[in-house]
Amino acid sequence: MKKPIYMDNSATTPCDPRVAEKLCQHLTTEGVYGNPASRSHEYGWLADEAAEAGRAHVAALIGASPKEIVWTSGATESDNLALKGAAHFYKKKGNHLITVKTEHKAILDTCRQLEREGFEVTYLDPKEDGRLDLAVLEAAIKPETILVSVMHVNNEIGVIQNMSAIGKLTREKGILLHCDAAQSAGKIPVDVNEMNVDLLSLSAHKIYGPKGIGALYVRRKPRVRLEAQIHGGGHERGMRSGTLATHQIVGMGEAFRIAKEELASEAERIGKLRDKLLKGLQDIEEVYVNGDMEHRIPGNLNISFNYVEGESLIMALKDVAVSSGSACTSASLEPSYVLRALGRSDELAHSSIRFTIGRFTTEEEIDYTIELVKGKIGKLRELSPLWDMYKEGIDLSSVQWAAH
Amino acid sequence: MIYLDNNATTQMDPTVVEAMLPYLKEKFGNPSSRHRQGRAARAAIETAREQVASLVSAHPSQVIFTGSGTEASNLAIKGYAAGITPSSLFIGSTEHPSVTSTANKLARFDGWHNLELPVTENGLLSDEAMEKLNTAKPGDLVSVMLANNETGVIQPISDLYRQLGLKDKGIVIHTDAVQAAGKIALNFSALGVHLMTLSAHKIHGPKGMGALIRDKSIVIEPQINGGGHEEGLRSGTENVAAIVGFGAAAELAHDALVQTNEKLLGLRTKLENGLKMIPGIEIIAGKTERLANTSCFTMASVEGETMLMMLDKAGIAIASGSACSSHDSAPSKTLTAMGLDKNRARRALRVSLGKDNTENEIDTFLDTLKMKLASFDNVASNVAI
Amino acid sequence: MAYSEKVLDHYENPRNVGTFDKDDTSVGTGMVGAPACGDVMKLQLKVSDKGVIEDAKFKTYGCGSAIASSSLVTEWVKGKSIDEALEIKNSDIAEELALPPVKIHCSVLAEDAIKAAIEDYKGKQK
C-alpha cells in the first residue's frame, strides 16, 4: 500500500492512465500539436479533429449535442461565463439572480461581482440536510429574476440537489437555470434535458482528466445567449476566445468517455467503500455525518469528530490526504461556510473532515484509514480540554467563552 | 512535413513534455490542498513562476498565470478598466484580436473612448500616432504589441514612451509580448510598461497557458471570480502541468536565446535571399527591425490562401494571416494598416521559423514555392492564349 | 502550508499533557479561546510557596500550532518565578516555533493562557 493514501478526490483526481496516455500522444513530437484554429494545413486540421472528438465525448456524458459545448479553462471560468455572460446579455429583461449559500466560491464570488455591477442576488439557505427546499426557491422568484444557479452536487458534503424538480420550476417560470456539475458529472447520471438546465459547468480534473480545462454547456433549443467574457479571435463561436489546448481537450474527452462507460459499476464499488468507511468511523463516540446520506454521491463522506479540531486531525492523519472544508478556501481559518449554512455549530464545523473516495481507492486503504483515524482521535481527545469537559458532563454551550 | 508556422503555435520541446508528465500523472495534487500532494504541486508552481519571471527579468510575485495569452490581455485591459472611470484607450492598429476585440467591447458597452494608433508602411508607429499619444491624459491606457505576429516588426516602445514621458504622466501601459518573449531579450522594468502579456505555446510550451506580468502599483480587478487563486486576480484550480511546462519552456528559451536567435537569423537570411530572386516577391518591412524568425512577403499574382493550400498538399505548413482570424477571408488588418491595398494584402504569405527548422527545409520550401508559382504562370499564359 | 520542524516535534510529542486538581490552592488554571474560533487552551501552573512555578500541564483543542505553542509554554515556565513567566511574549513563542503569519494568533493565545493561569493563582492566594 502506497502512502500517503489519497482520499481527497473532490479536490482533484489523478489522470486516469488511459487519459494520460491519450493526452501524451497529443503532447509529443510524434503527435498532433497544431493550432486547431489553423485552417490552412494538416497540423491544424488534425488538431481540430481531435478537439471535435473530445467535444462529442463530453456532450455524450450529459445528453447534449456537441454544438452546445464551449471549452473553458475550468469549471471556475465556466461558472463565471455562465453567470456574467447571461446576466450581461439578459439585463434588460431583469436584474435579479438566485443562488444558494452552499455554492462553490466560483459562483458566490461571481455573484458578489454582479452585485457590485448593480444586479441583485438572493442567497438561499439550504435545509439542514443540505438540500434546497423547492418552496423556498419558488418564494424567492420575482418578475425580475433572470437566472437561478444551483450546484448539482456540493463539493464539501456531496449532497445531490433535485435538479429536475428545480428545472421544472424554472422552465415553467421562464427563468434560466445554471447548474455547476463539476462534482456530479461522471459520478451520477447527468442529463441536461431531464434536468431542464440551460447552462451547465463541467470540469475535467475532478473526473480523472487534466487540470486547466473545463466546459460550459449552453442550450441551443430554446437558445440561450451569452455575452462573451474573454474577447479575442472569436474561438468557440465567439463565446470564449483563446487558443485551445488540444491535448487537454483530448484528455477531457477521454475522461468523459471512460466516465460514461464505467459510471454505474464504479458508483457501486465506491459506494460500498464509502459505506464501509462510515461504518468503521461510526464506532467512535461523538461523530456526526454532515449532510443528507441518502441523496449523496457515493464517494463522499463528510464527518465531524466532536471536540477535535479539524486541522490538527489532518496533521495527525498525514498518511491519508484528506481535507477540512474545501481546498479552495483552505488558506483561511474560517470554518466551512457550507457547514455553517447547514446550521452546524462552529465547533462541529471546525471538527469536520472530508473523505472523498475515488477510482483508485482500495479496500485495504479504507481499512487502514479507519484504524488510523480511531487511534488519532483517541490521542487528540486526550489532549482536548473540551473532551474532558464533555466527559465531566459540562454543557459547553453554557460556558462563557472569551471569544477572540 | 515542414512546419513553418511557428508564430501560430510551436511544437512542445521534448524536455518541456518531460517536465510536465509527472504533473499529469503521479504528482496530481490540488495546489490549494494542504496535504503533501497539494504542497508538492504548490512548490512546482512557484518554481515555474520564477522561471517565467526570469525570462522577462521580472520578480516572481509579478507573474499571474492565466489560461492563455488572450485571457492575459483581457485581464490586463478589462481588469484595469474595471477599477476606474472610463477614459481613453490608445490601441495600435496592428494589434492581435485579443486586444482589439477587448478594446471594442469596452468602447461599445463601458463608455471608453478608443483611439487607433496608425503605423507607417514599415509597421512602426507613425508621427500621427505619436501626436495622438501626446494627448493622452493620466489614467488613460495604451496598448501596443512589442512584436507583430504577422510581420515580426519590433516596436521600439521603450524609447517612444520614454520620449513622450508617458509613464511619468500617469498613463498606464500594456504590451502584448506574446511573440517577442523568448525571441528577444526582455527586461520588464526596463521596458517601461505596467502590464505585459505572455503565452506558453509560442515558445515551445503547452497550449492553454499564459501569464500577465504586472507592475503592482497598478490596480487590476479579477475577471474570473472564485476561490481567490493567483492573489485573487485569477480564480480556478491551477493548471499545474501546463504551468510547469511554461516554466520549463521559459527557462529553455531564456538559456538559448542568443544561439537560437543567431540560428534563426541565418535561416531567414537564406530564405529572404532566395525569395528576392523570385520575380514579383516583395518582403514586407524588410528593412525594419524584426523578430529573427518571421518573414512576411507578397507574391505577384497568386493569393496567399491559394498558395498555402498548395503548399500544404506538398507537405509545407505556412500561414497567410494569423491563425486566429483565419475564419474570415478578409485581408490581413495588419497589412492594410501598413498601407497595402487589399488585393496585395491578399497575396501575402507568412513564414515563421522555429528553432528546429533546418537549411534543407528552407531549400525545399523555396524550390516548392518556385515550382508552384511557375505552374500558375503556365495556367495564366494558357488562359491568355 | 508546511509546519516548522519544531511545531511538528511538539505536535507529535507534546510535553506535559495533563491535568492538576483545579481546586488545589497552589494551582493556577487558565482557559482561553473558544470552541467556535477553533482553539481552546487550558494551562495549569503549580506554584511553590516561594512563588516559583514547579510544574505545568496543558490541554489544547486547536490546530498543530496551537498545540505546539501551549506545549512549548509548559516547558518555558517551569522553574520561572511568576513575574518571570509574565514576561514571556507571544513574539518569543512565534519566533521559536517559526509560526507563519496566519498562525500568530496561536502564540497570542498561549501568552494569554499564562496570564490567565497566574491571575487565577493570585486570586486563590487572597
Side-chain angles (χ1 to χ4, degrees):
Chain A
M1 190 167 48
K2 209 180 114 194
K3 287 180 210 163
I5 292 165
Y6 193 72
M7 279 203 207
D8 201 12
N9 286 281
S10 282
T12 192
T13 53
C15 265
D16 189 292
R18 293 166 285 182
V19 172
E21 193 192 327
K22 192 119 193 198
L23 188 153
C24 290
Q25 289 169 6
H26 288 264
L27 276 177
T28 46
T29 327
E30 302 80 49
V32 177
Y33 58 85
N35 186 335
S38 291
R39 293 296 151 113
S40 51
H41 50 69
E42 206 180 328
Y43 286 92
W45 296 333
L46 286 175
D48 193 43
E49 226 171 82
E52 291 317 304
R55 201 188 294 273
H57 288 311
V58 171
L61 182 71
I62 59 166
S65 145
K67 288 177 183 158
E68 296 174 311
I69 302 298
V70 174
W71 300 120
T72 66
S73 64
T76 292
E77 191 191 325
S78 299
D79 287 343
N80 272 259
L81 175 57
L83 266 56
K84 292 181 194 166
H88 293 159
F89 191 89
Y90 293 103
K91 65 178 171 220
K92 286 199 181 107
K93 229 180 115 195
N95 72 336
H96 181 236
L97 295 89
I98 299 173
T99 189
V100 188
K101 286 185 181 163
T102 48
E103 291 293 309
H104 191 268
K105 284 276 182 205
I107 295 291
L108 297 176
D109 260 38
T110 302
C111 285
R112 297 280 178 227
Q113 173 60 27
L114 288 170
E115 283 180 304
R116 284 191 285 272
E117 293 172 19
F119 288 90
E120 190 200 331
V121 183
T122 302
Y123 302 89
L124 302 176
D125 278 307
K127 295 185 289 181
E128 264 183 35
D129 61 8
R131 298 191 95 207
L132 180 61
D133 185 341
L134 218 57
V136 170
L137 171 61
E138 187 161 10
I141 293 173
K142 304 196 272 190
E144 303 80 43
T145 309
I146 48 175
L147 181 134
V148 171
S149 179
V150 177
M151 73 203 307
H152 195 186
V153 165
N154 183 273
N155 48 315
E156 292 191 34
I157 53 176
V159 167
I160 304 166
Q161 298 292 354
N162 187 351
M163 289 314 297
S164 49
I166 295 168
K168 191 162 169 276
L169 177 66
T170 50
R171 186 56 60 86
E172 267 169 30
K173 303 265 182 188
I175 299 166
L176 293 177
L177 176 61
H178 167 256
C179 174
D180 179 344
Q183 295 286 352
S184 65
K187 294 173 189 154
I188 52 170
V190 176
D191 184 321
V192 289
N193 293 316
E194 199 252 333
M195 287 160 50
N196 274 323
V197 297
D198 301 294
L199 297 156
L200 182 120
S201 300
L202 297 168
S203 166
H205 77 98
K206 306 284 189 190
I207 56 165
Y208 316 98
K211 291 178 185 59
I213 176 109
L216 180 66
Y217 158 81
V218 183
R219 181 174 288 283
R220 280 161 72 93
K221 279 177 193 163
R223 188 170 176 209
V224 175
R225 308 281 300 272
L226 295 178
E227 199 175 280
Q229 297 299 309
I230 299 182
H231 297 81
H235 309 75
E236 298 298 291
R237 302 192 310 286
M239 278 191 257
R240 200 275 184 183
S241 292
T243 295
L244 295 168
T246 317
H247 67 274
Q248 284 182 302
I249 291 173
V250 167
M252 182 164 178
E254 183 67 2
F256 275 58
R257 186 191 67 74
I258 294 169
K260 187 170 195 291
E261 215 163 77
E262 301 182 354
L263 193 140
S265 59
E266 184 165 285
E268 197 193 329
R269 191 187 75 85
I270 289 176
K272 276 187 189 152
L273 291 179
R274 193 267 317 272
D275 292 342
K276 183 167 194 194
L277 178 65
L278 173 61
K279 204 162 158 284
L281 297 181
Q282 267 173 337
D283 287 349
I284 305 172
E285 249 184 290
E286 283 291 302
V287 298
Y288 298 88
V289 172
N290 297 306
D292 187 87
M293 274 310 290
E294 189 190 336
H295 302 98
R296 193 185 194 104
I297 53 163
N300 176 292
L301 183 62
N302 189 313
I303 193 162
S304 289
F305 300 90
N306 211 358
Y307 314 118
V308 172
E309 196 270 339
E311 197 180 315
S312 65
L313 182 53
I314 284 187
M315 250 176 107
L317 300 179
K318 63 176 192 297
D319 282 339
V320 184
V322 292
S323 75
S324 65
S326 90
C328 293
T329 52
S330 56
S332 82
L333 293 167
E334 294 290 302
S336 152
Y337 68 90
V338 170
L339 298 186
R340 284 208 294 200
L342 263 54
R344 275 286 189 231
S345 68
D346 282 349
E347 291 94 311
L348 279 179
H350 271 300
S351 303
S352 76
I353 294 283
R354 179 186 72 180
F355 299 88
T356 41
I357 296 161
R359 182 173 291 166
F360 305 109
T361 310
T362 64
E363 188 160 358
E364 191 191 5
E365 291 175 336
I366 297 285
D367 292 337
Y368 177 87
T369 303
I370 294 171
E371 287 317 308
L372 185 72
V373 172
K374 279 184 180 169
K376 296 294 182 184
I377 291 289
K379 182 187 165 227
L380 287 168
R381 280 183 174 166
E382 250 170 58
L383 265 179
S384 168
L386 304 182
W387 179 250
D388 282 353
M389 293 164 84
Y390 164 73
K391 282 289 175 184
E392 285 164 26
I394 298 170
D395 175 9
L396 290 184
S397 60
S398 70
V399 178
Q400 198 77 38
W401 298 103
H404 57 281
Chain B
M1 190 100 183
I2 298 175
Y3 188 75
L4 301 175
D5 198 11
N6 286 281
N7 284 5
T9 195
T10 56
Q11 185 177 349
M12 262 202 266
D13 191 276
T15 60
V16 171
V17 176
E18 220 37 56
M20 287 172 69
L21 287 178
Y23 294 92
L24 291 167
K25 294 179 176 170
E26 67 275 10
K27 296 184 178 178
F28 62 88
N30 185 327
S32 296
S33 294
R34 281 177 290 181
H35 42 65
R36 263 178 271 174
Q37 283 100 329
R39 294 201 302 270
R42 168 66 52 210
I45 288 178
E46 295 318 316
T47 304
R49 202 184 299 281
E50 286 167 20
Q51 291 167 319
V52 172
S54 296
L55 178 65
V56 296
S57 302
H59 189 270
S61 68
Q62 295 179 297
V63 179
I64 302 294
F65 288 116
T66 64
S68 64
T70 294
E71 190 194 321
S73 289
N74 271 255
L75 175 59
I77 298 172
K78 286 191 245 173
Y80 170 66
I84 60 159
T85 25
S87 175
S88 294
L89 263 174
F90 295 80
I91 302 293
S93 55
T94 60
E95 292 303 301
H96 188 268
S98 53
V99 168
T100 47
S101 154
T102 300
N104 289 343
K105 186 259 169 191
L106 290 179
R108 216 165 57 229
F109 298 109
D110 303 318
W112 281 74
H113 179 56
N114 281 6
L115 292 109
E116 201 172 85
L117 301 171
V119 294
T120 64
E121 57 180 24
N122 292 321
L124 297 170
L125 289 179
S126 67
D127 292 343
E128 191 192 336
M130 298 298 275
E131 278 163 31
K132 272 191 184 172
L133 277 176
N134 236 337
T135 68
K137 301 174 301 299
D140 287 353
L141 178 71
V142 177
S143 179
V144 175
M145 70 204 319
L146 200 49
N148 186 271
N149 48 317
E150 294 185 51
T151 61
V153 166
I154 299 169
Q155 206 66 248
I157 57 170
S158 163
D159 293 343
L160 293 180
Y161 295 166
R162 199 167 299 126
Q163 232 174 311
L164 295 168
L166 289 191
K167 216 173 175 179
D168 297 337
K169 284 190 201 163
I171 290 149
V172 176
I173 304 165
H174 166 253
T175 190
D176 173 355
V178 163
Q179 296 291 348
K183 294 176 194 154
I184 56 175
L186 283 181
N187 181 314
F188 178 69
S189 59
L191 196 58
V193 300
H194 298 101
L195 300 159
M196 179 162 85
T197 298
L198 301 178
S199 166
H201 78 103
K202 309 284 189 189
I203 58 165
H204 304 278
K207 293 182 185 58
M209 183 44 53
L212 179 65
I213 314 295
R214 61 173 178 141
D215 174 334
K216 289 191 171 183
S217 66
I218 302 301
V219 177
I220 54 173
E221 299 284 331
Q223 297 301 299
I224 298 182
N225 306 99
H229 309 77
E230 297 296 298
E231 296 191 26
L233 286 176
R234 204 282 185 175
S235 288
T237 297
E238 296 90 340
N239 187 351
V240 183
I243 289 174
V244 167
F246 192 4
E251 190 172 289
L252 214 63
H254 193 225
D255 290 349
L257 191 89
V258 177
Q259 300 96 292
T260 311
N261 233 356
E262 232 168 70
K263 178 187 170 179
L264 291 172
L265 199 59
L267 287 178
R268 190 185 63 187
T269 308
K270 180 180 170 69
L271 167 76
E272 294 194 338
N273 285 342
L275 289 172
K276 282 174 194 157
M277 309 292 285
I278 302 172
I281 285 192
E282 289 178 70
I283 292 160
I284 311 282
K287 296 211 165 67
T288 318
E289 198 186 343
R290 287 174 296 158
L291 296 176
N293 80 318
T294 310
S295 181
C296 184
F297 56 90
T298 55
M299 298 166 290
S301 55
V302 185
E303 291 219 342
E305 203 69 13
T306 313
M307 179 55 77
L308 76 82
M309 290 297 183
M310 300 181 75
L311 289 171
D312 182 58
K313 275 187 197 156
I316 298 172
I318 194 174
S320 60
S322 89
C324 293
S325 57
S326 47
H327 286 276
D328 56 51
S329 57
S332 150
K333 199 174 161 280
T334 296
L335 298 181
T336 50
M338 290 164 74
L340 269 71
D341 71 57
K342 282 183 184 175
N343 286 329
R344 191 180 159 211
R346 281 204 181 88
R347 297 197 303 270
L349 279 183
R350 176 189 74 186
V351 171
S352 47
L353 303 165
K355 65 187 173 73
D356 300 319
N357 287 126
T358 61
E359 293 205 2
N360 274 343
E361 290 178 332
I362 301 294
D363 286 332
T364 310
F365 168 70
L366 285 169
D367 290 346
T368 316
L369 180 67
K370 274 185 245 174
M371 208 167 70
K372 299 293 174 193
L373 282 171
S375 72
F376 266 96
D377 286 345
N378 289 343
V379 173
S381 45
N382 285 347
V383 170
I385 293 164
Chain C
M1 144 193 51
Y3 286 99
S4 70
E5 288 296 324
K6 281 182 181 160
V7 169
L8 286 174
D9 179 37
H10 276 281
Y11 174 77
E12 275 163 16
N13 313 294
R15 333 285 202 256
N16 308 309
V17 177
T19 312
F20 295 130
D21 176 6
K22 64 177 187 299
D23 297 326
D24 183 340
T25 50
S26 68
V27 170
T29 302
M31 181 130 80
V32 293
C37 305
D39 31 35
V40 175
M41 271 180 204
K42 187 178 83 171
L43 178 68
Q44 292 188 304
L45 307 174
K46 193 167 204 160
V47 187
S48 73
D49 301 342
K50 291 175 186 157
V52 174
I53 298 169
E54 287 182 319
D55 204 355
K57 296 264 184 222
F58 87 97
K59 287 213 174 190
T60 290
Y61 161 88
C63 65
S65 303
I67 290 170
S69 296
S70 31
S71 168
L72 176 70
V73 158
T74 58
E75 281 196 322
W76 276 4
V77 294
K78 271 199 231 180
K80 282 195 163 71
S81 71
I82 289 176
D83 290 337
E84 283 167 351
L86 283 170
E87 277 168 26
I88 295 173
K89 292 277 165 290
N90 82 288
S91 50
D92 304 332
I93 301 165
E95 195 184 337
E96 173 70 14
L97 295 174
L99 296 181
V102 290
K103 294 294 182 188
I104 296 298
H105 72 279
C106 296
S107 63
V108 175
L109 212 58
E111 184 190 319
D112 289 351
I114 301 173
K115 287 182 179 142
I118 290 175
E119 200 175 316
D120 180 61
Y121 169 77
K122 283 182 175 168
K124 284 181 178 171
Q125 308 313 308
K126 278 170 193 165

